[in-house]
Amino acid sequence: MRTLGSIREFQDRPVAPDLIAHILENARFAGSGGNRQGWHVIVVESPETRAEITRISTLGFREYMAQTMAGAVPFAPADDGRWHGAIVDLDAARAVDGPSGLAASIDHAPALLVVVVDLRALAITDIDADHVSIIGGASIYPFVHNILLAARSEGLAGVLTTFACRAETEICTLLRLPMSHAVAAVIPLGYPVHQPTKLKRKAVNEIATVDHFDGPSFG
Ligand SMILES: Cc1cc2nc3c(=O)[nH]c(=O)nc-3n(C[C@H](O)[C@H](O)[C@H](O)COP(=O)(O)O)c2cc1C
């Protein structure tokens, strides 16, 4: 866990399909609400499909960067826990060409996985909350994280990306998903050029408290 950094640069070394199968073989032991395991993995082999995923992700990346540059936390809800729209013009942001390290990682990664989920399998206990839902993702992201952990065990690395989901209809059409399914993550994988050993994370006493949210620091 302490060395599972996000990797976007890969060696020019292929990843054997058997190794991907082995990674999925381990990752599938993730938990999910009611053990319904609504996950499905698309192993992208077609260069055309990969190019389209890269293009779609790049547009999402531009939207994200425009918000960051304007000082906003991209796609984050406001104090009321709801989304009130971006503070920048997203159509204009998508039209701004520029370098995208993310696009390169998706384009050049030796392996590309797309994790999709059957929405009907999700137990979304906050489905009627007043804020954006969080619980639905809890039945799919342990599986996604397991893929990255399992890959790390095999000397591989990658990154969980979600930019492609900014163009939901387009990505779902491209991958021929039924209406009942959605994309949870696009994961480029490969042998890393550099393996990080020191990740930047908050200390335990900054993220844990006793009894209440505003209770004394724990740890
Ligand atoms: C839910 C989620 C979505 C993410 N989406 C993206 C993404 O679309 N593109 C990307 O390059 N990284 C993405 N990341 C990776 C984060 O940027 C990364 O976890 C974080 O910056 C910490 O970086 P580090 O692991 O290298 O320390 C995502 C991570 C998570 C958990």
Side-chain angles (χ1 to χ4, degrees):
M1 284 184 265
R2 294 184 80 125
T3 59
L4 189 71
S6 304
I7 297 295
R8 301 177 180 86
E9 271 186 277
F10 306 100
Q11 297 174 32
D12 188 16
R13 175 179 166 195
V15 176
D18 280 1
L19 192 52
I20 294 174
H22 177 68
I23 287 166
L24 299 180
E25 173 62 31
N26 287 328
R28 73 193 169 94
F29 286 93
S32 56
N35 199 20
R36 275 185 291 272
Q37 305 164 60
W39 42 72
H40 177 104
V41 179
I42 299 174
V43 181
V44 179
E45 293 186 347
S46 148
E48 291 79 23
T49 303
R50 179 191 285 257
E52 270 302 282
I53 295 174
T54 305
R55 185 187 64 76
I56 293 168
S57 297
T58 301
L59 299 179
F61 172 79
R62 290 178 187 166
E63 291 186 352
Y64 186 96
M65 285 313 291
Q67 291 170 81
T68 305
M69 279 153 63
V73 180
F75 301 116
D79 288 347
D80 62 0
R82 296 183 191 176
W83 172 245
H84 299 289
I87 63 164
V88 296
D89 180 342
L90 295 180
D91 291 331
R94 279 195 299 274
V96 177
D97 205 353
S100 157
L102 168 84
S105 70
I106 293 178
D107 211 18
H108 299 139
L112 187 63
L113 308 183
V114 181
V115 177
V116 310
V117 62
D118 185 342
L119 299 168
R120 299 165 301 182
L122 300 176
I124 311 175
T125 52
D126 65 349
I127 199 158
D128 49 9
D130 284 338
H131 54 72
V132 293
S133 171
I134 183 70
I135 307 298
S139 280
I140 186 65
Y141 289 107
F143 173 70
V144 173
H145 195 64
N146 267 8
I147 291 178
L148 291 167
L149 281 170
R152 176 81 187 92
S153 293
E154 305 300 327
L156 294 167
V159 56
L160 188 175
T161 82
T162 51
F163 289 135
C165 304
R166 283 296 304 156
E168 261 243 298
T169 310
E170 228 180 325
I171 189 83
C172 291
T173 305
L174 174 73
L175 299 169
R176 303 214 294 261
L177 298 197
M179 281 274 288
S180 50
H181 285 61
V183 172
V186 173
I187 311 176
L189 274 183
Y191 293 95
V193 171
H194 302 292
Q195 182 63 58
T197 51
K198 255 194 163 173
L199 303 182
K200 206 173 145 203
R201 298 291 187 270
K202 292 178 185 172
V204 171
N205 63 12
E206 291 177 87
I207 61 165
T209 51
V210 179
D211 285 336
H212 296 101
F213 184 80
D214 59 358
S217 292
F218 178 87

